[in-house]
Amino acid sequence: MTRLLPVLALLLVGALPSSAAAQQPPGAPADETVQPQNVSARVEPRQVRIGDPFVYEVVITHPKEHRYELVMPKETGDFEVLDQTRQRQDGPDSATTTFGVRMSAFALGTVPLPSLSFDVATPDGPKKFSLPGREVEVVSTLPPDVDQQGVHFFDLQPPQEVPIRSWRLVLVGLGLLAAGLLAWALYRWWKNRPKHVEQVPLLPLDVRTRKALDALKAEDLPAHGHAKDFYFRLSEIVRGYLGERYGFEALECTSSELMASLRRLPTPGLPEDALMRFVSESDMVKYARADAPPESCRDALAFGYALIDKTYVPPPPQAPANAAAPHVQ
């Protein structure tokens, strides 16, 4: 019996992790990161002079239904980002997205590049992917033997005669330029002079949005094989409504920025889960060329009408401008 006690203790300790895992509450958050099928990165050229531009190229092979967007770091250290490019090429079973970041370095030696972060749109929702930075060798602009030879300076020169030119042509040119600017300003004023235009009152937000949805429904784009155009139009209508309803620039936001902005605002009645599904489905059809059957298009259009019903609040009626002031005794 004494010999069996250590064996029983080991069995109990081995069973603890599985029981703890069984007690993990359902619905725990899944891993928010994603790994592509293949990643390659290179720096061209490998050796650059300080301040000269170079290209940091990253090639990512991933499933066709995924979309990668580069998020540049806010702090780049000893580097300055000049511009960036993005190209995508779809194959039979996968897609290849190539990012090119044009940079310049301002520190000598072997300098590590900053890590790159990517926003990934997937059928399971937005994910993240991080790529550690590579290294680039930065050399000085001075010649290698500057310490032995020194820097060459030109010798002093004797005084030279410097001709002084007349300013007459410059003044004439400035006068002609001023006359041209004055004529251009008069033309612009005449073209943009105030005109009497009858102001048409703007319809309420819900009425304008429903009219846009009705017009999109009447065109029946999915029945004509234009499901991608249908989702582009519907996404613009929904984003325009959300931006005007809650007071932010929704049309210029990415999908992750749109949801983050809405979570920071008071949005009573907003169906956040249904909106997230609509945004993910729209991205997959627009950018990943996912199939969109007519039933999905009808459900997406119905979501647009339901979003107005659940979130729109009519503004309070305005008092007439010529209302008489209350009598005070």
Side-chain angles (χ1 to χ4, degrees):
M1 185 65 181
T2 307
R3 296 179 179 179
L4 291 178
L5 288 179
V7 177
L8 292 176
L10 289 176
L11 292 176
L12 290 175
V13 172
L16 285 178
S18 58
S19 61
Q23 295 177 1
Q24 183 177 0
D31 188 6
E32 295 298 330
T33 61
V34 66
Q35 290 295 330
Q37 297 172 354
N38 188 29
V39 180
S40 63
R42 67 186 183 97
V43 179
E44 183 64 30
R46 287 285 300 169
Q47 184 183 83
V48 295
R49 296 190 303 177
I50 186 169
D52 286 354
F54 64 92
V55 177
Y56 183 20
E57 183 182 77
V58 179
V59 181
I60 302 176
T61 303
H62 55 83
K64 293 176 64 175
E65 61 271 13
H66 291 188
R67 177 178 174 84
Y68 280 71
E69 293 290 349
L70 174 60
V71 180
M72 290 303 303
K74 297 181 180 179
E75 300 292 338
T76 56
D78 296 325
F79 296 90
E80 179 184 3
V81 177
L82 304 178
D83 56 60
Q84 59 172 303
T85 59
R86 177 185 181 277
Q87 294 180 349
R88 174 181 171 127
Q89 184 176 3
D90 290 347
D93 303 321
S94 62
T96 301
T97 304
T98 303
F99 297 91
V101 184
R102 190 163 170 264
M103 314 172 71
S104 57
F106 297 96
L108 296 176
T110 302
V111 186
L113 293 168
S115 300
L116 298 182
S117 178
F118 299 85
D119 287 338
V120 186
T122 70
D124 299 329
K127 302 286 186 179
K128 295 285 186 181
F129 170 64
S130 180
L131 178 66
R134 300 300 192 265
E135 292 182 344
V136 61
E137 184 179 357
V138 184
V139 298
S140 175
T141 56
L142 297 176
D145 57 350
V146 66
D147 293 335
Q148 292 77 19
Q149 302 297 331
V151 180
H152 178 70
F153 294 98
F154 291 102
D155 198 1
L156 297 176
Q157 298 293 324
Q160 300 290 334
E161 183 178 356
V162 179
I164 301 176
R165 298 181 179 180
S166 173
W167 291 92
R168 182 176 302 173
L169 294 177
V170 177
L171 295 177
V172 171
L174 291 176
L176 294 175
L177 178 61
L181 291 175
L182 180 60
W184 177 79
L186 290 174
Y187 169 76
R188 292 295 302 272
W189 172 83
W190 175 260
K191 184 178 180 180
N192 301 324
R193 68 188 186 280
K195 300 177 182 178
H196 178 69
V197 180
E198 184 178 356
Q199 296 290 337
V200 179
L202 187 65
L203 294 175
L205 174 60
D206 63 327
V207 176
R208 286 183 279 117
T209 306
R210 290 182 189 277
K211 283 181 174 290
L213 293 174
D214 292 341
L216 180 60
K217 181 180 180 181
E219 292 184 27
D220 199 11
L221 293 176
H224 297 84
H226 301 297
K228 183 177 180 180
D229 296 337
F230 169 82
Y231 272 94
F232 266 106
R233 293 268 301 280
L234 181 59
S235 180
E236 289 181 357
I237 294 173
V238 172
R239 285 171 175 266
Y241 169 79
L242 292 173
E244 187 172 348
R245 170 65 180 85
Y246 298 110
F248 71 103
E249 187 56 51
L251 292 174
E252 298 299 328
C253 292
T254 63
S255 299
S256 57
E257 292 172 348
L258 175 70
M259 300 305 301
S261 299
L262 289 172
R263 292 187 183 104
R264 290 194 297 265
L265 297 171
T267 55
L270 180 68
E272 184 175 339
D273 294 340
L275 178 60
M276 189 64 198
R277 288 193 299 270
F278 168 78
V279 170
S280 299
E281 180 181 347
S282 299
D283 288 345
M284 294 301 300
V285 176
K286 291 187 297 182
Y287 303 118
R289 301 181 181 179
D291 294 331
E295 297 79 9
S296 299
C297 297
R298 286 196 300 269
D299 294 341
L301 187 63
F303 169 77
Y305 287 103
L307 181 65
I308 303 173
D309 295 334
K310 294 180 179 180
T311 59
Y312 181 74
V313 178
Q318 297 182 355
N322 56 355
H327 179 66
V328 180
Q329 296 182 353

